[in-house]
Amino acid sequence: MSIDIAAIRTDYTLQTLSEHDVHQDPLIQFEHWFQNAVHSQIEDVNAMTLCTVDSQGKPHGRIVLLKGLEEESFIFFTNYLSHKGQEIHANPFVSLVFYWKELQRQVRIEGCIQKISEQASNNYFQSRPRESQVGAWASLQSETLSERQILEKRFEEISNTHANKEIARPAHWGGYAVAPSCIEFWQGRANRLHDRIMYKKVNADWRIERLYP
């Protein structure tokens, strides 16, 4: 490669983060940071990396979209039969990572995941654009697709079949809720001396500690 990757560097000098200034509740602290990110007009501000582990202990990561913060859990939606759905079924412990480079901030979350209620999944599905509803039926997510035309044909056929009719949520599609056991807030600082504030759940309380960068 002609680019010297090892020489790529950025110094972080925008802000600081003190354990004395953060909220005692990490979910409220997350809301503060998320609102800052929204007001900064960051594109795909709700994009987060979801990391799962399969039955063989192999990790897998991909980007999904946060769709809610409810009952102290992070909510997203997907196909339950996808690779990530199968991995979640095998191992309910996952991690989430938000990275807002414009603010030089990262939030890392670890916790246990479970499906949300069918009614909550139905409500969200009906709020989606119609084309996205059709897509949930058309895509056999994570299965091998020999050519794109097959997917496009499935999409067209399902669209035609449901013309002028409400589209019901597929049973294999719905929401997950991640209940955090620890949340780390990372603020980039100069000379790689970053601020890292970790919340760990102990029984029903949150313990706050600073970590070395």
Side-chain angles (χ1 to χ4, degrees):
M1 185 176 291
S2 60
I3 300 173
D4 184 0
I5 298 176
I8 299 174
R9 292 182 176 86
T10 300
D11 207 11
Y12 303 102
T13 58
L14 285 182
Q15 301 182 65
T16 65
L17 182 63
S18 168
E19 60 270 40
H20 305 295
D21 297 330
V22 296
H23 198 280
Q24 291 299 305
D25 186 329
L27 282 304
I28 294 177
Q29 180 64 33
F30 177 84
E31 289 179 0
H32 291 336
W33 269 27
F34 190 82
Q35 289 172 4
N36 289 160
V38 170
H39 294 155
S40 298
Q41 298 183 324
I42 294 174
E43 187 173 2
D44 293 328
V45 66
N46 59 331
M48 58 187 184
T49 301
L50 165 69
C51 295
T52 54
V53 177
D54 64 24
S55 57
Q56 279 77 49
K58 297 178 180 178
H60 304 269
R62 78 289 287 162
I63 303 296
V64 297
L65 298 178
L66 178 71
K67 289 298 180 179
L69 188 60
E70 302 170 11
E71 298 180 356
E72 298 188 340
S73 295
F74 295 81
I75 310 295
F76 69 94
F77 294 83
T78 191
N79 187 314
Y80 293 143
L81 303 179
S82 64
H83 286 170
K84 70 175 93 58
Q86 295 174 39
E87 291 150 13
I88 288 168
H89 181 74
N91 186 338
F93 296 99
V94 303
S95 70
L96 305 171
V97 180
F98 292 86
Y99 178 55
W100 300 308
K101 66 181 182 64
E102 295 85 349
L103 299 175
Q104 300 175 351
R105 285 176 171 174
Q106 174 181 271
V107 182
R108 187 171 62 86
I109 299 149
E110 295 178 359
C112 191
I113 190 170
Q114 64 179 3
K115 292 179 180 177
I116 65 174
S117 71
E118 291 191 7
Q119 186 58 55
S121 289
N122 289 339
N123 292 342
Y124 176 73
F125 186 81
Q126 292 305 322
S127 74
R128 303 182 87 207
R130 188 174 181 84
E131 292 78 8
S132 297
Q133 294 176 348
V134 174
W137 280 100
S139 176
L140 307 177
Q141 194 174 115
S142 299
E143 294 190 17
T144 300
L145 178 63
S146 59
E147 57 180 350
R148 182 175 176 82
Q149 287 76 9
I150 294 174
L151 175 61
E152 293 174 345
K153 184 178 180 181
R154 283 178 56 85
F155 184 93
E156 182 179 0
E157 289 174 347
I158 294 170
S159 294
N160 293 336
T161 300
H162 291 81
N164 303 317
K165 294 190 296 185
E166 181 178 285
I167 302 175
R169 176 183 65 89
H172 60 264
W173 190 98
Y176 283 110
V178 179
S181 56
C182 65
I183 304 180
E184 178 191 322
F185 294 85
W186 179 96
Q187 178 68 62
R189 295 290 302 274
N191 305 316
R192 296 298 187 267
L193 301 180
H194 310 304
D195 288 327
R196 296 176 62 190
I197 304 300
M198 171 68 81
Y199 294 76
K200 291 183 178 179
K201 199 159 195 178
V202 181
N203 298 321
D205 298 320
W206 288 100
R207 184 177 67 200
I208 302 175
E209 57 190 24
R210 174 178 287 272
L211 304 179
Y212 275 96

